Amino acid sequence: MKSPKKIFVCSECDAQTPKWLGRCPECGAWNSLMEETYTASASAAATVTPRVAEHAAPLTDTEDADCVRTVTGIGELDRVLGGGLVDGSVVLLAGEPGIGKSTLLMQLCGALGMDGKILYVSGEESRPQLKIRAKRLGTSGEGILLLTETDLDTILTEYERVKPDILIVDSIQTIYSQRANSAPGSITQVRECAAALMQRAKADGVSVIIVGHVNKEGGIAGPKVLEHMVDAVLYFEGDRSQSYRIIRAAKNRYGSTNEIGVFEMCDSGLREVENPSAMLLSERPTNVSGSCAVCILEGTRPIIAEIQALVTPTNAQNPRRTANGIDYNRMFLLLAVLEKRLGLRFSSCDVYLNVIGGLRIDDPGADAAVALALISSMRDIVIPPDLIAMGEIGLAGEFRTISSADQRAAEAARLGFTKIALPKRCIDGKIAAGGIDLVPLGGIYDALTLLAKQ
């Protein structure tokens, strides 16, 4: 038998090289090559599996398959999944340490354990630790089977004996297969273990939830192929210093990737936030410049958030620019438009932007609120608390139409806003409801005029 040899595998594209390189020759990623031990016989035994040959068949002759979902009982999680867990699907849940992944899974076990059998495999905690969490969360434990094991073969053997309805693995980085000669958490181990779990899920129609760690860049630790293998990738986001958490789908083969779920971390676990808009505006300050409300769309859900800006003069040669919750490059673009079209000297000021509640906004319809907040802080003009602004800003300073303007305006009116600033083409021909004033925005100068009237 040949002695094992060392190779280097790229964590992004799975390319292999005989020696370490600073940059992957296949995908161009820097510092992505990880050392692995390779045994030819073990690798061949792991990859070659006898199977029945299958012939190509016309799509019209293929039978329809029903998408059977299991409602978890956690409304915000069901929203992100597209209506619940699909039988035979593999879901990858990733997030920073301490964000609440294990808490969410234990609450999920409590919600589903009454109607089915759940096998909870933990490679990081002992059974007493899991029991303590279950008692704190008020989980009865009925229908929940705990297994503290890291060997993949032992896990699959116990799986065959128990025959659960749902399998939870926390986490994939702690599981190892004896067929791969590398340490747990390595690229080869993560790929082999995830592939074995995925094959079992597809064959038996069992829903599998895998917990994944994140690296220092914020991506999922392990090979990039892991995200391609699973059916859904959920990111658990939020600041551990704040109580609010957000679940966002980065991939979902059975639903939309635009939906989000909002939770609040309490002493008794995660609590669903059914009305995020009211939550995000609950502590909004009054009679303070630099604060503007905006309505964004996360999938089919309109959410009203608060954008705060702080503009202060500075004598530094390179003024500071900080953006929290807003794309950094988008902030520079809006600052350039405001300085060019309105003559506001942001180049001699420090600029800080923040979205309250830990929410991250990628909707270009938030440009109008960002611009109003910046102008308000620059001129020290207070924006009325009943004013909300929406609209995308072009490089020429024009306001462009946004999608679902009626839905956004209805959500703003529901929460008590009486002045809704929208792009002019979104208002043309529309009659405002009683007590609602629709303010048209044609160009960036209209935003300055709107604040000058206050």
Side-chain angles (χ1 to χ4, degrees), residues 407-443:
Q407 188 178 359
R408 299 177 194 236
E411 177 70 8
R414 186 181 69 84
L415 288 181
F417 290 92
T418 58
K419 292 183 180 180
I420 304 176
L422 289 168
K424 193 173 183 180
R425 295 193 62 181
C426 292
I427 302 179
D428 288 346
K430 296 181 181 179
I431 301 175
I436 304 298
D437 183 16
L438 297 179
V439 181
L441 297 175

Short mmCIF file of all heavy atoms in Angstrom, two decimals, residues 407-443:
data_model
loop_
_atom_site.label_atom_id
_atom_site.label_comp_id
_atom_site.label_asym_id
_atom_site.label_seq_id
_atom_site.Cartn_x
_atom_site.Cartn_y
_atom_site.Cartn_z
N GLN A 407 -47.50 49.29 -2.49
CA GLN A 407 -47.39 48.47 -1.29
C GLN A 407 -46.57 49.17 -0.21
O GLN A 407 -46.89 49.12 0.97
CB GLN A 407 -46.75 47.13 -1.66
CG GLN A 407 -46.74 46.11 -0.53
CD GLN A 407 -46.13 44.78 -0.97
OE1 GLN A 407 -45.74 44.62 -2.12
NE2 GLN A 407 -46.06 43.85 -0.05
N ARG A 408 -45.51 49.84 -0.62
CA ARG A 408 -44.68 50.58 0.34
C ARG A 408 -45.47 51.73 0.96
O ARG A 408 -45.41 51.95 2.17
CB ARG A 408 -43.43 51.12 -0.35
CG ARG A 408 -42.52 50.06 -0.96
CD ARG A 408 -41.37 50.74 -1.68
NE ARG A 408 -40.64 49.86 -2.55
CZ ARG A 408 -39.32 49.63 -2.48
NH1 ARG A 408 -38.61 50.23 -1.55
NH2 ARG A 408 -38.72 48.84 -3.34
N ALA A 409 -46.20 52.47 0.12
CA ALA A 409 -46.97 53.61 0.63
C ALA A 409 -48.06 53.14 1.58
O ALA A 409 -48.34 53.80 2.59
CB ALA A 409 -47.57 54.39 -0.54
N ALA A 410 -48.68 51.99 1.28
CA ALA A 410 -49.72 51.47 2.17
C ALA A 410 -49.15 51.09 3.53
O ALA A 410 -49.78 51.34 4.57
CB ALA A 410 -50.41 50.27 1.52
N GLU A 411 -47.96 50.51 3.55
CA GLU A 411 -47.33 50.16 4.83
C GLU A 411 -46.96 51.41 5.62
O GLU A 411 -47.12 51.46 6.84
CB GLU A 411 -46.07 49.32 4.56
CG GLU A 411 -45.27 48.96 5.79
CD GLU A 411 -45.96 47.95 6.68
OE1 GLU A 411 -47.01 47.41 6.29
OE2 GLU A 411 -45.45 47.71 7.80
N ALA A 412 -46.50 52.45 4.91
CA ALA A 412 -46.16 53.70 5.58
C ALA A 412 -47.41 54.36 6.17
O ALA A 412 -47.38 54.86 7.30
CB ALA A 412 -45.48 54.65 4.61
N ALA A 413 -48.50 54.34 5.43
CA ALA A 413 -49.75 54.93 5.92
C ALA A 413 -50.28 54.13 7.12
O ALA A 413 -50.84 54.70 8.05
CB ALA A 413 -50.78 54.97 4.81
N ARG A 414 -50.09 52.81 7.10
CA ARG A 414 -50.57 51.98 8.21
C ARG A 414 -49.87 52.32 9.51
O ARG A 414 -50.46 52.22 10.60
CB ARG A 414 -50.35 50.50 7.87
CG ARG A 414 -50.95 49.52 8.87
CD ARG A 414 -50.67 48.10 8.46
NE ARG A 414 -49.27 47.77 8.58
CZ ARG A 414 -48.69 47.37 9.72
NH1 ARG A 414 -49.41 47.28 10.83
NH2 ARG A 414 -47.42 47.08 9.75
N LEU A 415 -48.60 52.73 9.42
CA LEU A 415 -47.83 53.05 10.62
C LEU A 415 -47.90 54.52 10.98
O LEU A 415 -47.13 54.98 11.83
CB LEU A 415 -46.38 52.62 10.45
CG LEU A 415 -46.13 51.11 10.49
CD1 LEU A 415 -44.67 50.81 10.33
CD2 LEU A 415 -46.66 50.48 11.76
N GLY A 416 -48.78 55.29 10.34
CA GLY A 416 -49.04 56.65 10.78
C GLY A 416 -48.29 57.74 10.05
O GLY A 416 -48.37 58.91 10.47
N PHE A 417 -47.58 57.45 8.97
CA PHE A 417 -46.89 58.50 8.21
C PHE A 417 -47.91 59.22 7.33
O PHE A 417 -48.70 58.59 6.62
CB PHE A 417 -45.78 57.89 7.35
CG PHE A 417 -44.61 57.38 8.13
CD1 PHE A 417 -44.56 56.07 8.55
CD2 PHE A 417 -43.57 58.23 8.47
CE1 PHE A 417 -43.48 55.59 9.27
CE2 PHE A 417 -42.49 57.78 9.20
CZ PHE A 417 -42.45 56.45 9.60
N THR A 418 -47.88 60.54 7.39
CA THR A 418 -48.84 61.35 6.63
C THR A 418 -48.23 62.02 5.41
O THR A 418 -48.95 62.49 4.54
CB THR A 418 -49.44 62.44 7.54
OG1 THR A 418 -48.37 63.27 8.06
CG2 THR A 418 -50.20 61.81 8.70
N LYS A 419 -46.88 62.08 5.32
CA LYS A 419 -46.19 62.63 4.15
C LYS A 419 -45.29 61.56 3.58
O LYS A 419 -44.39 61.06 4.26
CB LYS A 419 -45.36 63.87 4.53
CG LYS A 419 -46.19 65.07 4.94
CD LYS A 419 -45.29 66.26 5.23
CE LYS A 419 -46.11 67.48 5.66
NZ LYS A 419 -45.24 68.64 5.95
N ILE A 420 -45.54 61.19 2.32
CA ILE A 420 -44.78 60.14 1.67
C ILE A 420 -44.12 60.73 0.44
O ILE A 420 -44.80 61.12 -0.53
CB ILE A 420 -45.69 58.96 1.28
CG1 ILE A 420 -46.43 58.43 2.51
CG2 ILE A 420 -44.89 57.86 0.62
CD1 ILE A 420 -47.42 57.33 2.20
N ALA A 421 -42.80 60.85 0.47
CA ALA A 421 -42.04 61.39 -0.66
C ALA A 421 -41.67 60.24 -1.59
O ALA A 421 -40.99 59.30 -1.20
CB ALA A 421 -40.79 62.11 -0.16
N LEU A 422 -42.13 60.33 -2.84
CA LEU A 422 -41.93 59.27 -3.83
C LEU A 422 -41.44 59.89 -5.14
O LEU A 422 -41.66 61.07 -5.40
CB LEU A 422 -43.23 58.51 -4.09
CG LEU A 422 -43.75 57.59 -2.98
CD1 LEU A 422 -45.17 57.15 -3.30
CD2 LEU A 422 -42.85 56.37 -2.84
N PRO A 423 -40.77 59.10 -5.98
CA PRO A 423 -40.42 59.61 -7.32
C PRO A 423 -41.66 60.07 -8.07
O PRO A 423 -42.75 59.49 -7.93
CB PRO A 423 -39.77 58.39 -7.99
CG PRO A 423 -39.22 57.58 -6.87
CD PRO A 423 -40.19 57.77 -5.73
N LYS A 424 -41.50 61.09 -8.85
CA LYS A 424 -42.64 61.74 -9.50
C LYS A 424 -43.45 60.77 -10.36
O LYS A 424 -44.68 60.80 -10.37
CB LYS A 424 -42.13 62.89 -10.36
CG LYS A 424 -43.21 63.84 -10.85
CD LYS A 424 -42.58 65.05 -11.54
CE LYS A 424 -43.66 66.03 -11.96
NZ LYS A 424 -43.07 67.21 -12.62
N ARG A 425 -42.78 59.85 -11.06
CA ARG A 425 -43.48 58.94 -11.95
C ARG A 425 -44.26 57.88 -11.17
O ARG A 425 -45.15 57.24 -11.73
CB ARG A 425 -42.49 58.26 -12.89
CG ARG A 425 -41.82 59.23 -13.85
CD ARG A 425 -41.09 58.51 -14.94
NE ARG A 425 -42.00 57.72 -15.76
CZ ARG A 425 -41.60 56.97 -16.80
NH1 ARG A 425 -40.32 56.94 -17.13
NH2 ARG A 425 -42.48 56.27 -17.48
N CYS A 426 -43.93 57.70 -9.89
CA CYS A 426 -44.70 56.76 -9.06
C CYS A 426 -46.01 57.39 -8.58
O CYS A 426 -46.91 56.67 -8.14
CB CYS A 426 -43.88 56.33 -7.84
SG CYS A 426 -42.46 55.30 -8.24
N ILE A 427 -46.11 58.72 -8.66
CA ILE A 427 -47.30 59.42 -8.16
C ILE A 427 -48.22 59.87 -9.28
O ILE A 427 -49.41 60.10 -9.06
CB ILE A 427 -46.87 60.64 -7.30
CG1 ILE A 427 -45.98 60.18 -6.13
CG2 ILE A 427 -48.05 61.41 -6.78
CD1 ILE A 427 -45.49 61.30 -5.26
N ASP A 428 -47.69 59.98 -10.50
CA ASP A 428 -48.48 60.51 -11.62
C ASP A 428 -49.81 59.76 -11.76
O ASP A 428 -49.84 58.54 -11.89
CB ASP A 428 -47.70 60.38 -12.93
CG ASP A 428 -46.55 61.38 -12.99
OD1 ASP A 428 -46.55 62.31 -12.16
OD2 ASP A 428 -45.66 61.21 -13.84
N GLY A 429 -50.89 60.51 -11.70
CA GLY A 429 -52.21 59.96 -11.88
C GLY A 429 -52.81 59.30 -10.66
O GLY A 429 -53.93 58.81 -10.73
N LYS A 430 -52.14 59.32 -9.55
CA LYS A 430 -52.65 58.67 -8.35
C LYS A 430 -53.24 59.71 -7.40
O LYS A 430 -52.74 60.84 -7.29
CB LYS A 430 -51.55 57.89 -7.64
CG LYS A 430 -51.01 56.73 -8.46
CD LYS A 430 -49.95 55.97 -7.71
CE LYS A 430 -49.41 54.82 -8.55
NZ LYS A 430 -48.35 54.08 -7.85
N ILE A 431 -54.29 59.32 -6.73
CA ILE A 431 -54.95 60.20 -5.77
C ILE A 431 -54.60 59.72 -4.37
O ILE A 431 -54.77 58.54 -4.04
CB ILE A 431 -56.48 60.19 -5.97
CG1 ILE A 431 -56.81 60.65 -7.40
CG2 ILE A 431 -57.15 61.08 -4.94
CD1 ILE A 431 -58.29 60.56 -7.71
N ALA A 432 -54.12 60.62 -3.56
CA ALA A 432 -53.72 60.25 -2.20
C ALA A 432 -54.94 59.93 -1.35
O ALA A 432 -56.02 60.52 -1.55
CB ALA A 432 -52.91 61.38 -1.57
N ALA A 433 -54.79 59.00 -0.45
CA ALA A 433 -55.87 58.66 0.48
C ALA A 433 -56.06 59.80 1.47
O ALA A 433 -55.24 60.72 1.58
CB ALA A 433 -55.55 57.36 1.19
N GLY A 434 -57.16 59.71 2.21
CA GLY A 434 -57.46 60.77 3.16
C GLY A 434 -56.39 60.93 4.22
O GLY A 434 -56.00 59.96 4.86
N GLY A 435 -55.92 62.15 4.40
CA GLY A 435 -54.91 62.43 5.40
C GLY A 435 -53.50 62.13 4.98
O GLY A 435 -52.57 62.33 5.76
N ILE A 436 -53.28 61.65 3.75
CA ILE A 436 -51.95 61.30 3.25
C ILE A 436 -51.55 62.30 2.17
O ILE A 436 -52.31 62.57 1.24
CB ILE A 436 -51.90 59.87 2.68
CG1 ILE A 436 -52.36 58.86 3.73
CG2 ILE A 436 -50.51 59.53 2.19
CD1 ILE A 436 -51.49 58.82 4.96
N ASP A 437 -50.36 62.87 2.31
CA ASP A 437 -49.84 63.83 1.35
C ASP A 437 -48.71 63.18 0.57
O ASP A 437 -47.67 62.82 1.14
CB ASP A 437 -49.33 65.08 2.08
CG ASP A 437 -48.84 66.15 1.12
OD1 ASP A 437 -49.16 66.06 -0.08
OD2 ASP A 437 -48.12 67.06 1.58
N LEU A 438 -48.91 62.98 -0.74
CA LEU A 438 -47.88 62.39 -1.60
C LEU A 438 -47.02 63.51 -2.15
O LEU A 438 -47.50 64.39 -2.86
CB LEU A 438 -48.53 61.60 -2.73
CG LEU A 438 -49.39 60.39 -2.33
CD1 LEU A 438 -49.97 59.72 -3.56
CD2 LEU A 438 -48.56 59.41 -1.51
N VAL A 439 -45.73 63.49 -1.82
CA VAL A 439 -44.79 64.54 -2.23
C VAL A 439 -43.98 64.02 -3.41
O VAL A 439 -43.22 63.05 -3.27
CB VAL A 439 -43.87 64.93 -1.07
CG1 VAL A 439 -42.91 66.04 -1.51
CG2 VAL A 439 -44.68 65.34 0.14
N PRO A 440 -44.09 64.64 -4.60
CA PRO A 440 -43.33 64.15 -5.77
C PRO A 440 -41.87 64.60 -5.72
O PRO A 440 -41.56 65.73 -5.33
CB PRO A 440 -44.06 64.80 -6.95
CG PRO A 440 -44.67 66.05 -6.38
CD PRO A 440 -45.00 65.75 -4.94
N LEU A 441 -40.98 63.71 -6.10
CA LEU A 441 -39.54 64.00 -6.17
C LEU A 441 -39.09 63.79 -7.60
O LEU A 441 -39.05 62.65 -8.08
CB LEU A 441 -38.76 63.09 -5.22
CG LEU A 441 -39.05 63.22 -3.72
CD1 LEU A 441 -38.27 62.17 -2.93
CD2 LEU A 441 -38.71 64.62 -3.21
N GLY A 442 -38.75 64.89 -8.29
CA GLY A 442 -38.27 64.79 -9.66
C GLY A 442 -36.77 64.70 -9.74
O GLY A 442 -36.21 63.93 -10.52
N GLY A 443 -36.08 65.52 -8.93
CA GLY A 443 -34.63 65.53 -8.90
C GLY A 443 -34.14 65.76 -7.49
O GLY A 443 -34.91 66.00 -6.56
#
